[in-house]
Amino acid sequence: MRSKLMSIALVIIISSLIAACGSDSSAADGKPDKIRLDYAYYSPTSLVLKEQGWLEEALEDEGIGVEWVLSQGSNKALEFLTSDSIDFGSSAGSAALVSKAKGSPIQNVYIYSQPEWTALVADSESGIQSVEELKGKKVAATLGTDPYIFLLRALNEAGLTAADLEIVNLQHGDGAVALSKGSVDAWAGLDPHMARAELESDATLFYRNKEFNTYGFLNVREDFAEEYPDYVHVVIEAYEKAREWTIDNPEAAAQILSEEAEMSLDVAKQTLERNDFSNSIPGDEHRDTLRNSAEVLLEGEVIEADTDIEKVVNELVQPSFIEELNK
């Protein structure tokens, strides 16, 4: 009897293991059950891709689902990637660099835009006209994002540091609200919130520097890229379709941004006009801007002093996936 019970138990255990393996599509047929991506108001092509459903179409015959998650800023997108809540996330290049330097297992496989999406913003009646005038002031910024790093670089250029002012850590939209209410003296802005403040709240962009804006990076988790390289290609192909459509249909792309972010069409158009969608292949120019950002990040102790920046940059920027598609 005991032997019979043990045999039955063994059969149950083996059957359970077989069932478990059979229910995991990634183990059974080398493909994921679903692909999880973020969409973001600072990435207009992600909104176009989500709206048009091209990725869902590409994956439909394979039975692979698509899950969209809203990222309110680079910091959120990178948190989602690090916590395995998404497979692909949109961020500024410099923010991805900081995350990678801190051990986040990500790779940049696609450039979704070259934006001038950040500047330093003040109320037009504040009298603030230069970075030097921020000394002793309260400035809103979202830590770990391109506007924050933009602020650090602007301060460094003016001979100041973060210690010379009070940085108030707020998400981008909340920073815009704080500026409009007079809770802060200035704000390290991000489009489309910045374009809205400029057009609707009489805010002024008192310091602009396109070179301090790093590129829009589409990042993938390393384990996903290693396990499902073919599906990295599928996502990039869908993004390419959205990029080309956005270039050809700027009015319609602005309408999508306007509706998704609940903003006026004029604000959406201004946001899109500050984006260059012409080059989607990660390369030397993107590595160079990361190296330039790293200098001030090291000085500000945002990145550990002993970090091998060259190694981090080269491990982060991975053009091979899109280059394979273009062969």
Side-chain angles (χ1 to χ4, degrees):
M1 175 65 101
R2 187 175 183 181
S3 176
K4 185 176 181 180
L5 288 173
M6 289 179 66
S7 297
I8 294 172
L10 183 60
V11 170
I12 292 172
I13 291 170
I14 292 172
S15 299
S16 298
L17 289 172
I18 291 171
C21 290
S23 66
D24 183 354
S25 67
S26 64
D29 53 23
K31 64 182 182 182
D33 290 322
K34 62 183 175 182
I35 296 178
R36 304 164 300 169
L37 309 91
D38 76 340
Y39 66 104
Y41 306 146
Y42 53 85
S43 172
T45 45
S46 72
L47 303 181
V48 169
L49 181 56
K50 177 175 175 287
E51 173 72 18
Q52 299 293 347
W54 290 317
L55 184 58
E56 286 85 348
E57 289 178 11
L59 297 169
E60 184 177 7
D61 289 345
E62 297 189 68
I64 299 173
V66 176
E67 180 179 316
W68 293 97
V69 178
L70 175 63
S71 289
Q72 295 284 5
S74 293
N75 59 327
K76 294 300 181 184
L78 293 162
E79 286 174 14
F80 294 153
L81 283 166
T82 302
S83 65
D84 193 11
S85 298
I86 56 175
D87 304 308
F88 293 84
S90 315
S91 79
S94 56
L97 174 68
V98 172
S99 185
K100 184 72 171 178
K102 293 181 177 180
S104 181
I106 59 171
Q107 295 176 345
N108 159 233
V109 294
Y110 186 79
I111 304 298
Y112 60 80
S113 74
Q114 178 187 9
E116 187 192 1
W117 55 17
T118 188
L120 299 185
V121 188
D123 185 271
S124 60
E125 298 180 1
S126 70
I128 296 176
Q129 298 181 355
S130 69
V131 178
E132 289 80 1
E133 293 174 72
L134 294 180
K135 187 172 183 178
K137 299 289 198 300
K138 293 173 68 173
V139 181
T142 310
L143 300 183
T145 66
D146 219 31
Y148 172 68
I149 296 165
F150 181 95
L151 172 62
L152 294 183
R153 295 184 72 178
L155 292 172
N156 182 68
E157 184 182 61
L160 300 174
T161 71
D164 292 313
L165 55 150
E166 181 184 348
I167 297 178
V168 182
N169 182 24
L170 296 171
Q171 279 299 138
H172 303 297
D174 295 331
V177 172
L179 180 67
S180 68
K181 292 183 175 180
S183 303
V184 295
D185 301 295
W187 166 51
L190 180 75
D191 273 337
H193 308 287
M194 185 170 70
R196 174 183 279 164
E198 187 180 10
L199 293 176
E200 298 178 0
S201 302
D202 202 26
T204 179
L205 312 187
F206 68 89
Y207 179 79
R208 299 175 70 170
N209 187 333
K210 189 173 181 179
E211 298 304 314
F212 284 1
N213 288 254
T214 57
Y215 295 79
F217 277 24
L218 181 67
N219 308 297
V220 64
R221 286 191 359 268
E222 288 178 352
D223 60 346
F224 184 95
E226 290 172 5
E227 191 168 1
Y228 310 117
D230 290 344
Y231 293 98
V232 177
H233 292 146
V234 171
V235 171
I236 289 174
E237 284 184 306
Y239 254 94
E240 277 291 86
K241 190 170 184 178
R243 179 182 71 89
E244 292 168 0
W245 187 90
T246 300
I247 292 171
D248 293 339
N249 301 276
E251 293 284 335
Q255 187 65 45
I256 290 172
L257 174 58
S258 171
E259 293 174 0
E260 187 69 46
E262 298 181 346
M263 63 178 60
S264 73
L265 188 57
D266 286 342
V267 170
K269 287 180 178 179
Q270 179 134 317
T271 298
L272 280 173
E273 287 170 2
R274 291 202 273 243
N275 280 267
D276 179 355
F277 301 103
S278 62
N279 180 18
S280 58
I281 303 175
D284 288 339
E285 62 190 291
H286 310 106
R287 295 187 185 97
D288 287 343
T289 196
L290 293 181
R291 293 185 188 105
N292 292 333
S293 295
E295 293 178 11
V296 71
L297 293 170
L298 287 166
E299 289 177 11
E301 299 181 349
V302 177
I303 294 177
E304 295 290 336
D306 60 352
T307 301
D308 186 340
I309 293 299
E310 196 64 24
K311 181 174 183 290
V312 172
V313 168
N314 289 331
E315 289 181 352
L316 175 62
V317 179
Q318 297 291 335
S320 59
F321 288 99
I322 190 168
E323 287 174 346
E324 288 168 7
L325 287 176
N326 291 336
K327 286 181 180 179

